[in-house]
Structures are given as C-alpha cells and as structure tokens.
Amino acid sequence: MRKSRLAVGMTCVALVGTMSLTACSGGSGDDGSLTFMFRGGPDEKAAYQAAIDKFTEDTGVTVDVIVTDADQYATKLQAAVAGNKVPDVFYIEQANLQSYVASGVLMDITDQVGELGVDLDNIWDYGVDSYRFDGALQGTPEGRLYGLPKDVGPFAFGYNKTMFEAAGIPLPDPDVPLTWEEYVAICQQLTTDTDGDGTVDQWGTGPNVQWNLQSLVWSNGGDFVNEDRTEVTVDTPEFAEALQEFADLTTVDGVTPSAADAATLDTYQRWMAGELGFFPVGPWDVSVYNDLEFEYDLIPWPTLGDGGSGTWVGSLGIGVSGTTNMPDEAVQLVTYLSADPTAQQTLVDANIQVPNLIDMAEEWAAEPDAQPANRKEFLDIVQDYGRAMPAAYTYGAAWYDELWTNIQPVLDGERTAADYLAEVQPRMQALLDESNVNAEQAFAG
C-alpha cells in the first residue's frame, strides 16, 4: 500500500527545506537559467525533472526547479510575488489568474504560443480556456492567453469493486449513472458490521460536502451563481433539496460515518483501508489508488434530478512571469510541459494526470490494461458533464467560502438546508458584490 497524503506531504516539506525560494530571486538565474516553481509529491517531482532534463537536452536551456508541498505553494508563491522574486515559470491557480493579470504578475503569452505553432485544438478546450481572460470574463474562448494548462483534473466517482463482489451486489453500469434512490439503496446494503462486534465498520460512502455537494446541486438543476457571475443562487428549492439529501446520507439513511466517526478516522483513510463502497477519484489519486489492496473502478456520478451526472473539473495552469528576463525561453518551457507529446507521456506514465493532448488521451483511455479499467470516465467528464468549480472564474472566492463556514449544523441534522441557505445567501451575495467591485477597480487602472 502506498503512502498516505499526509506522508507524501511530509516528504515534500523535507524537499522544500533543501530548495530555498531564494533561487527565485530576480526571476531568471544569474547563469541564464530559468526558474520553474511548482507543487507536488515525489512522483510528480520525479516526472517533471525527467521532462525538464529532456527539455534542456533539446534546447540547451537549463532550468532550476523549486518544488513545494501542495499546502504551502500558495503562501510561498505569494511571498515571491510580494518580494519581487517571481519565478520565470510557475503553477497558477484558476482563481488567481485575474488578480495576477491585473497586477502584471502574469505575462500575456498569446502571440508567442501562436508563433510556436502549438495546436491548441488538440488540447482540451476547458484547459486552454481556463487561462484566457478577455478583460471582463475568464474562461471564454475569445480571451487572451495568460497560461496553458498543466493539466485538467476531472473529479470522477469510484467504487470498491472487491466490496461489491464480496456482497454479491451487481457491478454498476460504467456508462449509465445510478439514480439517487439506487445509489442510497446500494449504500445501505454495504453499510454493515463485518466483524460482529456491534459497531459499523464498513460504510456505503463518505463524501465531503465542500468537494461533493456540487455534483448533487448540478444534477438537480441548481447552481451556485448565475451565468454572468453576478448573483448567488443557493437559495433555490433545487439547491436546498440537494444539500438536504447530502445531509440525510448521515442523519437519515445512516450510510456515511458521522462527524464523530470521521474524527476517529477520516473518510479518505477509510477508503484507503477498504471500508467505503463509493468515493471520489481524481487523476492525482491514481498512482496511490492503483496500489491499494482492493480493486476499484470509475462510474458516472449518481443523479439526484433530471440534470444528468454532474461534477467539477479542476485545473492548474503554467504561466510566465511578467518580469522574466527570458520571455521566449519561458514560453517555450510552458508550451513544452503543456503540449509536447514526449513531456506529456512522461507525466502520464507517472500516473499523475490525464493527458492534455486529446489524441493521446483517447489512446490512453482505450489501453487494454488500463487501471482503473474505466479511464474513459475521466474523459467523459472533461468532454461532457464536468464544470468549473463555482469560484474558479470569479475575482476571489470569499463569497463561495462563506457557504461552508456554518454548514455543520445542517450536516448534523440540527438545521434544515432550506433555512440555512436562506440565511447564508445574503452574506454570500454581499461578498460576491464586493468581489466584482474589486475586479472593476483592479482593471480600471
């Protein structure tokens, strides 16, 4: 069994200690090398180092690599920005793009990418458009490019195939989503006391509200914000039903660990130990999940209403500093990491991401020995039913974060979802209004 996320994170902290951020000083190194800052564990670091070694071999451009733990990356990058020591090339969060554009931290790379002949049509539209900005809206095909995707991160739904087989439950259809009623019924069958000591030790599922509620809301026809991102829409019957059904998994259906149970052993650890029937799976999980002591696979997300399966697609981008001394070489490195087939193969072989290149991804999903077997579900999410996270394209996420601040009483069955959402919507709206005003002011200058 592979290391837990905590163990990987601790390893990354040790790596940070050996790679000081002072390497970013002044952007490009004094010896004419580029600096590239990213986040990730040992698997990702090794894959990127191999790709960068090949880049240097092919171009003669050397690259100083700075890697941080995922939890520390944003803080470290912000410190570099504040100290005018921005790396030449670095990971960018979707939600930070607009502020970095407004402040000149990110370079507009549209023309350089065009001159290099990058086939953007062979990269997922969602990935490319996430780093476009037209001066008003992010994520539109008409916007200028301020980065290219490091990856696309479709948040898929997995199940413990070994547990299903042991319980004699037919395996889910890989192409047809379970209805919510079917999903809950299976979870109830799987929730049991396997050792007979009077305590439940196997659960149907264990979702996290901040990462899984989106699926229920979208499948039920609700949303967090309107199309032009000016109105918070959580106070609708569709949204309330979704949140209530989510809470009911614990308080009514009894198929998920309670908050007290999760405090003893969180649901990620329970999944890793083979104690959950259903659990989300991201491409970043595959290198770890493939070494678990049970077999798992992917299926479409269950549907609550008539909206079809819903889930989110994340992404990290790779951008170029607006103050780099080596702009041409920096853009060349970005396009290499994002769109070069050899570099992409190196990263994909490490089981850390879905291929950015569409033709490569289709071949990857169809491999006969694919693990998980239904890799195609990742592509279906990117191509079909995946959406950006609600705050991915707004100028700040405070409005969205407010939803989760006092949601626990709903999850514990002490408040109804409808009452809570009616109360929190005005606070969220005020924060979104403030965010939009800040955006207007940032770009007015």
Side-chain angles (χ1 to χ4, degrees), residues 308-352:
S309 286
T311 189
W312 51 269
V313 187
S315 178
L316 277 172
I318 311 178
V320 174
S321 167
T323 58
T324 179
N325 294 324
M326 301 173 64
D328 293 339
E329 294 85 351
V331 175
Q332 191 174 5
L333 177 59
V334 170
T335 59
Y336 177 79
L337 294 175
S338 181
D340 181 85
T342 301
Q344 280 294 296
Q345 193 64 58
T346 299
L347 301 176
V348 171
D349 287 346
N351 281 324
I352 59 174

Side-chain angles (χ1 to χ4, degrees), residues 100-359:
Y100 283 164
V101 170
S103 60
V105 170
L106 277 173
M107 173 181 158
D108 180 343
I109 64 172
T110 311
D111 295 338
Q112 290 89 336
V113 168
E115 290 167 3
L116 288 171
V118 178
D119 183 7
L120 296 180
D121 290 336
N122 194 34
I123 304 176
W124 302 109
D125 287 344
Y126 175 83
V128 175
D129 291 347
S130 287
Y131 306 99
R132 291 188 185 275
F133 182 62
D134 65 6
L137 290 176
Q138 180 182 342
T140 62
E142 298 78 19
R144 302 285 291 178
L145 273 175
Y146 291 91
L148 287 176
K150 173 264 177 189
D151 62 10
V152 290
F155 200 53
F157 199 56
Y159 73 99
N160 183 327
K161 184 177 180 181
T162 303
M163 184 184 292
F164 272 64
E165 292 172 338
I169 299 173
L171 300 181
D173 191 310
D175 299 313
V176 180
L178 296 167
T179 66
W180 190 250
E181 292 75 15
E182 291 170 336
Y183 169 62
V184 172
I186 293 173
C187 287
Q188 289 171 331
Q189 288 180 265
L190 294 174
T191 302
T192 185
D193 170 14
T194 61
D195 57 15
D197 67 355
T199 303
V200 174
D201 54 11
Q202 177 178 290
W203 302 88
T205 189
N208 176 292
V209 69
Q210 293 192 42
W211 303 110
N212 300 157
L213 180 62
Q214 300 85 359
S215 172
L216 272 75
V217 170
W218 290 332
S219 75
N220 204 38
D223 211 338
F224 293 73
V225 71
N226 66 348
E227 188 173 351
D228 65 2
R229 305 162 201 163
T230 59
E231 181 183 350
V232 175
T233 57
V234 302
D235 56 339
T236 63
E238 294 82 6
F239 199 110
E241 182 184 15
L243 177 55
Q244 193 63 61
E245 290 287 354
F246 185 97
D248 287 353
L249 287 173
T250 303
T251 60
V252 176
D253 306 314
V255 297
T256 69
S258 66
D261 293 323
T264 302
L265 191 68
D266 69 33
T267 53
Y268 173 75
Q269 293 169 315
R270 291 179 188 273
W271 166 259
M272 298 281 284
E275 298 177 5
L276 295 183
F278 295 98
F279 201 68
V281 180
W284 52 88
D285 293 314
V286 168
S287 65
V288 174
Y289 288 3
N290 283 358
D291 285 343
L292 294 175
E293 295 176 358
F294 60 87
E295 188 176 356
Y296 77 101
D297 206 355
L298 307 180
I299 55 174
W301 283 79
T303 59
L304 178 58
D306 298 328
S309 286
T311 189
W312 51 269
V313 187
S315 178
L316 277 172
I318 311 178
V320 174
S321 167
T323 58
T324 179
N325 294 324
M326 301 173 64
D328 293 339
E329 294 85 351
V331 175
Q332 191 174 5
L333 177 59
V334 170
T335 59
Y336 177 79
L337 294 175
S338 181
D340 181 85
T342 301
Q344 280 294 296
Q345 193 64 58
T346 299
L347 301 176
V348 171
D349 287 346
N351 281 324
I352 59 174
Q353 70 177 68
V354 171
N356 275 345
L357 303 177
I358 296 172
D359 54 2

Side-chain angles (χ1 to χ4, degrees), residues 54-137:
K54 185 65 168 62
F55 173 79
T56 297
E57 178 184 333
D58 291 346
T59 66
V61 178
T62 58
V63 182
D64 294 331
V65 173
I66 306 110
V67 63
T68 81
D69 171 42
D71 293 338
Q72 295 184 341
Y73 180 80
T75 301
K76 297 285 188 181
L77 180 59
Q78 191 57 43
V81 170
N84 294 318
K85 298 178 180 179
V86 183
D88 297 293
V89 178
F90 55 96
Y91 275 5
I92 47 176
E93 303 273 2
Q94 293 166 300
N96 290 335
L97 184 103
Q98 293 183 48
S99 62
Y100 283 164
V101 170
S103 60
V105 170
L106 277 173
M107 173 181 158
D108 180 343
I109 64 172
T110 311
D111 295 338
Q112 290 89 336
V113 168
E115 290 167 3
L116 288 171
V118 178
D119 183 7
L120 296 180
D121 290 336
N122 194 34
I123 304 176
W124 302 109
D125 287 344
Y126 175 83
V128 175
D129 291 347
S130 287
Y131 306 99
R132 291 188 185 275
F133 182 62
D134 65 6
L137 290 176

